[in-house]
């Protein structure tokens, strides 16, 4: 595939988007400890066309005494930003400055979306990379409260040298329980105001959201973060999109349920244990290390529909510990749990083998959303807290939370359109199908206290 440093001369804007990246429509977002190489490989198998590394802390990445951090983030043997960008420049198609992080650590460090007030500084950062790199620089940002300021900001980024803009349709205050909906109208206004390609970010949770988003925003492509984490096949429309199996079930007598993978008008929903086993096989095949924190986080999200039932396996996942130097051996322990869950899910699927898909899918009466069988990958929505005074939200006032998922620690992403192993209705409501499997466990998966989600 074209890309991965195939640029004899540095291309710009649509020429770069079309000739180097291949005009991708399906983009996998940068996600803290979650868009590592193994997950990017899995996402590609299921339709992801352009993938971002997690954001990388330019200061830590550029320091000579941070070799371990560098190798974990990107496995390759305003000054720190350029220094970091130069290290990875030969191994990616573009370098993205992520201006979207809304988390408190970004507020304290004055980066991510909290640089939005420092327009002169942002201009210099983008322009420095634009003038000094052999690959294009792109930028991801959050909208402002007004359309006018959002458009002005986007035009400033374009004038600084950003060759692609990713517009997240939420403000920096829309996070946590106040995430709410992304504003596609503001993304549309940005698209109409600039001459470079625009990627729309926000509210992409089902495959069926993609065309609606493209039509509503006029964007060139859509980016998914949370939707991809709960279903890495979010970009795949049908069973015909299923890739060949990577490995057979461990037991040759394993039953093959009639509706093991499900495709509906919302897109493809593979069995989550199938996805997990594929992911772990990729982890084992790579020279690039995958943190066990990343593995645990992926498994908890994939298995969310089932873990409220299979609490013993949920507890085993949450208590899994890794001894230093034995990370690769631990993958086999993850596989043991996954295969046990796989057997239980096949059992449940076989119990309803005589039913049709329509009979297996229910509708949440409060939201109108489809609730799929618990053995397949599907999105999750958290309800907003009740308004002050204990009032009850009307149905039309219930909004979804699509927790943003970039890295707060960092401000540089790498894009790659090539196979990588470096030398890598817009309204949504909430489903309360199953509770958070293990909030304490999900906190424990963080590599350090600075690793929180952003967007």
């Amino acid at each position: 595939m074209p890309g991965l440093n195939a640029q004899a001369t540095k291309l710009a804007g649509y020429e770069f988007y079309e000739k180097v990246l291949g005009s991708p429509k399906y983009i996998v977002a940068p996600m803290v400890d979650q868009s590592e190489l193994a997950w990017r490989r899995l996402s590609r198998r299921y339709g992801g066309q352009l993938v971002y590394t997690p954001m990388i802390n330019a200061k830590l990445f550029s320091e000579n005494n941070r070799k371990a951090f560098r190798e974990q983030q990107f496995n390759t043997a305003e000054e720190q930003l350029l220094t970091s960008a130069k290290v990875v420049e030969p191994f990616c198609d573009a370098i993205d400055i992520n201006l979207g992080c809304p988390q408190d650590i970004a507020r304290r460090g004055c980066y991510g979306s909290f640089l939005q007030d420092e327009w002169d500084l942002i201009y210099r950062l983008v322009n420095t990379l634009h003038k000094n790199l052999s690959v294009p620089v792109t930028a991801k940002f959050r909208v402002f409260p007004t359309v006018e300021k959002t458009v002005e900001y986007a035009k400033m980024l374009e004038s600084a040298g950003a060759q692609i803009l990713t517009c997240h349709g939420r403000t920096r205050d829309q996070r946590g329980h106040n995430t709410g909906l992304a504003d596609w109208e503001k993304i549309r206004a940005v698209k109409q105001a600039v001459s470079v390609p625009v990627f729309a970010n926000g509210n992409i949770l089902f495959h069926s959201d993609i065309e609606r988003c493209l039509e509503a925003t006029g964007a060139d492509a859509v980016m998914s973060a949370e939707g991809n984490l709960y279903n890495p096949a979010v970009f795949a429309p049908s069973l015909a999109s299923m890739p060949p199996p990577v490995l057979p079930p461990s037991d040759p007598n394993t039953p093959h349920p009639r509706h093991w993978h499900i495709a509906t008008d919302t897109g493809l929903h593979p069995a989550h244990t199938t996805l997990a086993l594929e992911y772990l096989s990729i982890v084992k095949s790579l020279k690039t290390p995958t943190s066990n924190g990343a593995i645990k986080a992926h498994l908890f999200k994939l298995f969310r529909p089932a873990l409220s039932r299979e609490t013993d396996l949920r507890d085993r996942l949450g208590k899994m510990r890794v001894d230093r130097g034995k990370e690769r051996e631990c993958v086999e322990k993850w596989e043991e749990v996954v295969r046990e869950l796989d057997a239980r899910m096949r059992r449940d699927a076989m119990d309803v083998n005589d039913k049709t898909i329509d009979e297996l899918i229910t509708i949440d009466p409060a939201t109108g959303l489809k609730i799929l069988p618990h053995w397949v990958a599907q999105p999750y929505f958290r309800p907003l807290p009740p308004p002050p005074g204990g009032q009850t939200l009307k149905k039309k006032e219930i909004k979804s939370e699509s927790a943003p998922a970039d890295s707060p620690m960092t401000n540089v992403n790498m894009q790659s359109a090539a196979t990588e192993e470096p030398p890598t209705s817009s309204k949504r409501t909430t489903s309360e199908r199953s509770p958070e499997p293990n909030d304490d466990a999900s906190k424990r998966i963080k590599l350090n206290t600075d690793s929180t989600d952003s967007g």
Side-chain angles (χ1 to χ4, degrees):
M1 183 170 181
L4 201 56
N5 240 19
Q7 305 170 57
T9 59
K10 185 164 73 171
L11 304 180
Y14 275 99
E15 193 175 17
F16 165 66
Y17 174 68
E18 294 166 358
K19 293 184 178 180
V20 176
L21 300 183
S23 302
K25 281 178 49 178
Y26 303 149
I27 318 297
V28 178
M31 297 175 282
V32 58
D33 297 333
Q34 297 281 264
S35 55
E36 82 287 355
L37 178 58
W39 190 259
R40 298 196 302 271
R41 286 278 182 89
L42 180 69
S43 297
R44 281 190 172 282
R45 284 178 57 83
Y46 286 89
Q49 297 169 335
L50 178 67
V51 294
Y52 285 64
T53 70
M55 281 204 303
I56 296 173
N57 186 306
K59 180 176 184 294
L60 294 178
F61 196 82
S62 62
E63 291 177 350
N64 290 331
N65 62 342
R66 296 286 187 161
K67 181 180 179 182
F69 176 85
R70 178 183 297 181
E71 289 185 348
Q72 186 179 74
Q73 299 299 320
F74 196 92
N75 187 254
T76 132
E78 123 204 0
E79 179 62 33
Q80 287 172 330
L81 180 65
L82 181 59
T83 299
S84 294
K86 282 291 188 181
V87 171
V88 299
E89 178 183 36
F91 309 113
C92 54
D93 294 319
I95 291 178
D96 182 76
I97 299 182
N98 196 322
L99 301 167
C101 176
Q103 301 298 326
D104 289 336
I105 187 172
R107 184 194 301 272
R108 293 193 297 270
C110 194
Y111 55 80
S113 64
F114 297 99
L115 278 178
Q116 282 186 332
D117 301 323
E118 303 289 340
W119 290 31
D120 289 343
L121 174 59
I122 290 175
Y123 182 95
R124 293 199 305 272
L125 291 173
V126 175
N127 196 246
T128 294
L129 297 191
H130 173 59
K131 290 182 175 179
N132 291 282
L133 295 178
S134 62
V135 296
V137 59
T138 65
K140 180 177 184 289
F141 67 98
R142 285 189 166 228
V143 299
F144 286 83
T146 68
V147 172
E148 293 78 13
K149 194 167 185 179
T150 299
V151 167
E152 186 181 359
Y153 187 67
K155 292 172 74 173
M156 178 273 291
L157 293 172
E158 180 184 25
S159 68
Q163 302 304 315
I164 292 176
L165 296 176
T166 298
C167 183
H168 187 144
R170 295 182 176 90
T171 68
R172 67 186 178 192
D173 295 323
Q174 287 182 270
R175 63 189 183 96
H177 288 295
N178 296 315
T179 296
L181 296 173
D183 189 337
W184 284 354
E185 288 301 318
K186 287 177 181 172
I187 299 176
R188 184 175 187 85
V190 167
K191 172 60 181 173
Q192 292 174 342
V194 300
S195 60
V196 296
V198 172
F199 298 163
N201 185 203
N203 301 347
I204 305 299
L205 297 174
F206 288 106
H207 184 82
S208 54
D209 293 327
I210 295 172
E211 289 304 322
R212 292 190 305 104
C213 179
L214 292 174
E215 182 178 354
T217 64
D220 299 280
V222 295
M223 175 182 283
S224 176
E226 189 88 342
N228 166 264
L229 289 178
Y230 285 99
N231 181 11
V234 68
F235 292 128
S238 67
L239 289 173
S241 306
M242 282 288 295
V246 173
L247 65 172
S250 55
D251 184 349
N253 298 317
T254 298
H256 297 280
R258 179 183 172 197
H259 302 304
W260 187 231
H261 309 302
I262 292 177
T264 72
D265 56 359
T266 60
L268 176 63
H269 302 272
H272 47 62
T273 51
T274 296
L275 293 169
L277 289 171
E278 286 188 54
Y279 167 67
L280 292 174
S281 73
I282 295 171
V283 168
K284 292 194 297 184
S285 72
L286 297 177
K287 295 179 181 178
T288 300
T290 303
S291 77
N292 277 274
I295 295 173
K296 180 181 284 189
H298 284 308
L299 297 183
F300 264 107
K301 287 184 172 65
L302 285 173
F303 298 158
R304 171 174 246 291
L307 290 180
S308 61
R309 299 164 176 261
E310 310 297 339
T311 56
D312 60 323
L313 297 183
R314 179 189 67 190
D315 292 343
R316 282 176 62 185
L317 285 175
K319 294 176 181 178
M320 194 84 76
R321 294 292 180 268
V322 182
D323 295 330
R324 186 178 297 275
K326 296 184 178 181
E327 289 81 6
R328 289 193 178 274
E329 295 177 20
C330 191
V331 175
E332 296 178 1
K333 295 181 180 179
W334 296 119
E335 285 181 324
E336 290 177 9
V337 178
V338 174
R339 291 193 182 281
E340 174 61 29
L341 182 62
D342 183 78
R344 297 184 192 184
M345 295 298 98
R346 289 177 183 272
R347 172 204 63 198
D348 292 352
M350 289 297 295
D351 286 345
V352 292
N353 219 32
D354 59 338
K355 294 185 178 295
T356 66
I357 290 180
D358 288 342
E359 290 174 318
L360 295 176
I361 297 174
T362 60
I363 303 296
D364 187 324
T367 66
L369 293 177
K370 288 186 175 181
I371 302 174
L372 296 152
H374 59 276
W375 58 84
V376 300
Q378 55 197 285
Y380 165 69
F381 310 90
R382 300 186 192 103
L384 288 173
Q391 299 174 355
T392 302
L393 287 175
K394 297 178 182 178
K395 178 178 176 181
K396 67 179 182 180
E397 294 175 320
I398 300 175
K399 294 184 178 180
S400 73
E401 175 179 334
S402 173
D406 307 325
S407 166
M409 288 262 326
T410 53
N411 53 9
V412 182
N413 310 315
M414 275 64 69
Q415 301 173 344
S416 176
T419 301
E420 330 139 47
E421 172 149 8
T424 161
S425 125
S426 63
K427 178 171 288 188
R428 282 283 175 225
T429 51
T430 60
S431 170
E432 298 176 333
R433 177 181 68 258
S434 53
E436 186 68 33
N438 194 330
D439 286 340
D440 290 338
S442 61
K443 292 176 184 175
R444 290 196 296 268
I445 65 172
K446 305 300 183 185
L447 293 181
N448 55 56
T449 57
D450 291 335
S451 293
T452 53
D453 289 345
S454 72

